[in-house]
Amino acid sequence: MRRLTTLFPSEFLEEHAEELGVVEREGKLQVPVLVWALVFGFAAGESRTLAGFRRSYNSTADETISPGGFYQ
């Protein structure tokens, strides 16, 4: 975990997401948390559903995202 977060710091993930147009507008979504929830949440045997992914994201993020906002 430490190696990955060192290789891909939050600033890098945010800048790269902006370059790729991942986020259309500023809001609650935190790109680094989204990436780490995907990488670590699913790698750790978490349920591999969108709902499980949202729960993993919400357990790590500063602000939670509602189901509707997450799926949007």
Side-chain angles (χ1 to χ4, degrees):
M1 184 167 136
R2 185 176 293 152
R3 284 184 185 174
L4 282 175
T5 55
T6 301
L7 280 172
F8 302 107
S10 295
E11 296 80 22
F12 169 79
L13 294 173
E14 290 169 353
E15 290 171 6
H16 197 62
E18 187 176 324
E19 289 173 10
L20 294 174
V22 172
V23 179
E24 293 180 4
R25 62 185 174 91
E26 292 296 318
K28 291 182 179 181
L29 184 71
Q30 299 169 347
V31 172
V33 175
L34 184 72
V35 170
W36 300 132
L38 180 62
V39 171
F40 297 123
F42 284 171
E46 184 74 25
S47 175
R48 293 185 178 166
T49 64
L50 285 175
F53 180 42
R54 185 181 67 82
R55 283 190 298 273
S56 178
Y57 174 91
N58 281 341
S59 69
T60 308
D62 296 333
E63 290 188 53
T64 60
I65 295 181
S66 68
F70 186 80
Y71 298 128
Q72 183 77 6

